[in-house]
Amino acid sequence: MKKTVLLKVDPQAPEIEKVRVAAKFIRTGGLVAFPTETVYGLGADALNAKAVLALFEAKKRPLDNPPIVHVCNIKDVYRLAEEIPTRAERLMAVFWPGPLTLIFKRSRIVPAVTVAGLDTIAVRMPRHNVALALIGESKCPISAPSANLAGKPSPTTAKHVLDDLDGRIDAVLDAGPTVIGVESTVLDVTVDPPQVLRPGGTPFEALKGALGKVELNPAVTAEKPMPVEKVRSPGLKHKHYAPNANVIVVEGELSAVVVKVNELAVYYTRRGRKVGVLCTDETVSCYYADVVKSLGSRNNLASVARNLFAHLREFDSERVDVIVAEGVPLEGLGLAVMNRLRKASGYKIVKASAT
Ligand code: TXA
Ligand code: MG
């Protein structure tokens, strides 16, 4: 066990002396958790193979799932990547800094472990002053997966990070809760048309608007586990986002969903389970269960995304056995929310229909 240093910083104007303490850990091969606009990341010097290996160990992450490399200026992309198509340059100009990760052919300076032996690399520039200051002061690109233990919901506060990683990492920069709440959208620009491998903070609709043609990898909207040979993003192979409780997702027309969620809540309560319902403002008063939590209004899928991972973790601290979750529309940030919920459930999806 090492001592994990907690550094509270101002999210807009981070105190430079604290950022320098964190940057010193990164420069000397250490591990620092830091906020981005999406979720907290766990950072290591992307060009230091030993540091990246320690990152995988701290998270207990399988070595075949490469993290995203974070930069603080576009210039660095040209060092890390070999071929940068014009359409990717346009995307960087429009969406960076922001929750969009681009997959490029990797350059030779990148150690194999940083990209899990692939010939491609995932790069993004986060829209968060603390993250940008840390990368700038560290003077290196930073490999950073989400700062949770592998398989757990991603952390949206420094407390979530410490719950999983206290004693396993050198420091946490705490700048309060993250704004978006789900991870970045991962877009493969090595293929034409570009393909979304993971839906996230940049909506598919916005990418369509900028690119004209863009595809969704079938895994994005999958309702059952994908055969491994069809999976193009290594992360999609592994169990993800799962709280300790069993999750069931109920999808369909809203009034039928409400009936079905209550039916399931009664079913599990009768069998002696502690039941949690994960729902929205419009339906929160309709449910009977041990714990009922709203993610926000269905008219504001950004708030639903922001609260998703925190609520899943809260159900665990309240020792809920079964979480019955309402589905939301697959539009805007709803696409990312449903992708995470379906995976958290291990694809236990119930379709509700009016009878
Ligand atoms: O918002 C985010 O993206 C957060 C914050 C910290 O920036 N990071 C994050 O990293 O979610 P991580 O490592 O948990 O997820 C990275 C995703 C995984 O699904 C991984 O498989 C995929 O990106 N990925 C990484 N390198 C790839 C590559 N070369 N080709 C395809 N997918 C890749
Ligand atoms: Mg992750």
Side-chain angles (χ1 to χ4, degrees):
M1 279 268 286
K2 46 173 118 183
K3 162 125 187 60
T4 301
V5 181
L6 178 64
L7 300 158
K8 283 205 193 269
V9 284
D10 185 299
Q12 256 77 50
E15 298 79 353
I16 190 69
E17 61 289 354
K18 295 189 187 169
V19 175
R20 284 193 179 134
V21 171
K24 192 164 178 204
F25 281 121
I26 298 280
R27 277 207 306 277
T28 52
L31 306 178
V32 175
F34 62 96
T36 75
E37 77 281 37
T38 58
V39 301
Y40 275 73
L42 177 61
D45 178 350
L47 303 179
N48 178 339
K50 254 173 95 177
V52 176
L53 202 57
L55 179 65
F56 280 97
E57 272 166 24
K59 263 191 72 104
K60 303 190 181 163
R61 178 164 169 134
L63 280 167
D64 66 352
N65 187 11
I68 292 165
V69 177
H70 295 64
V71 296
C72 65
N73 59 58
I74 291 182
K75 208 171 72 232
D76 281 348
V77 178
Y78 293 83
R79 294 172 56 218
L80 298 165
E82 205 83 294
E83 284 163 34
I84 298 170
T86 318
R87 57 181 183 280
E89 288 179 324
R90 205 164 61 238
L91 291 170
M92 292 191 277
V94 175
F95 293 101
W96 282 11
L100 178 66
T101 295
L102 299 174
I103 307 291
F104 297 107
K105 289 249 169 333
R106 70 138 155 155
S107 80
R108 259 185 267 270
I109 69 160
V110 183
V113 61
T114 298
V115 291
L118 298 176
D119 58 4
T120 51
I121 183 167
V123 189
R124 87 174 189 102
M125 190 196 297
R127 189 166 64 222
H128 197 297
N129 288 349
V130 176
L132 294 172
L134 177 68
I135 303 164
E137 286 297 321
S138 301
K139 298 186 173 51
C140 59
I142 293 185
S143 280
S146 47
N148 51 292
L149 282 175
K152 291 283 154 205
S154 293
T156 56
T157 66
K159 180 180 181 298
H160 298 159
V161 174
L162 291 171
D163 286 346
D164 281 14
L165 298 173
D166 195 12
R168 302 177 69 82
I169 63 178
D170 295 293
V172 186
L173 285 161
D174 177 0
T178 60
V179 174
I180 294 179
V182 290
E183 303 89 337
S184 62
T185 300
V186 177
L187 182 71
D188 185 350
V189 288
T190 67
V191 291
D192 193 15
Q195 197 179 68
V196 172
L197 302 183
R198 177 180 76 179
T202 300
F204 183 55
E205 294 85 340
L207 292 176
K208 262 196 298 205
L211 284 168
K213 232 171 150 209
V214 50
E215 286 176 352
L216 281 181
N217 185 277
V220 168
T221 49
E223 299 191 8
K224 46 181 190 289
M226 293 288 290
V228 169
E229 65 275 11
K230 288 222 175 122
V231 170
R232 302 250 334 274
S233 177
L236 300 177
K237 284 190 295 217
H238 299 284
K239 189 173 173 229
H240 249 104
Y241 313 114
N244 297 326
N246 287 314
V247 180
I248 301 169
V249 189
V250 183
E251 301 179 13
E253 193 266 313
L254 191 56
S255 59
V257 166
V258 170
V259 172
K260 186 51 108 184
V261 168
N262 271 326
E263 235 174 74
L264 288 164
V266 168
Y267 176 90
Y268 286 106
T269 304
R270 288 213 177 117
R271 277 154 188 79
R273 310 286 182 78
K274 184 166 179 183
V275 177
V277 168
L278 189 59
C279 61
T280 46
D281 289 353
E282 285 78 2
T283 53
V284 68
S285 60
C286 306
Y287 293 120
Y288 309 94
D290 296 301
V291 188
V292 179
K293 285 183 193 294
S294 170
L295 290 165
S297 169
R298 296 182 155 262
N299 296 323
N300 182 2
L301 292 174
S303 85
V304 171
R306 188 178 310 130
N307 294 320
L308 178 67
F309 290 139
H311 280 22
L312 290 176
R313 281 177 180 260
E314 284 168 21
F315 279 122
D316 274 351
S317 38
E318 296 178 51
R319 308 216 170 273
V320 160
D321 302 302
V322 182
I323 300 169
V324 189
E326 277 178 4
V328 296
L330 295 169
E331 58 200 43
L333 291 186
L335 187 63
V337 169
M338 286 310 289
N339 169 271
R340 307 304 188 272
L341 265 181
R342 285 168 170 172
K343 283 209 238 169
S345 77
Y347 300 95
K348 284 193 286 301
I349 301 170
V350 174
K351 299 281 182 187
S353 56
T355 45

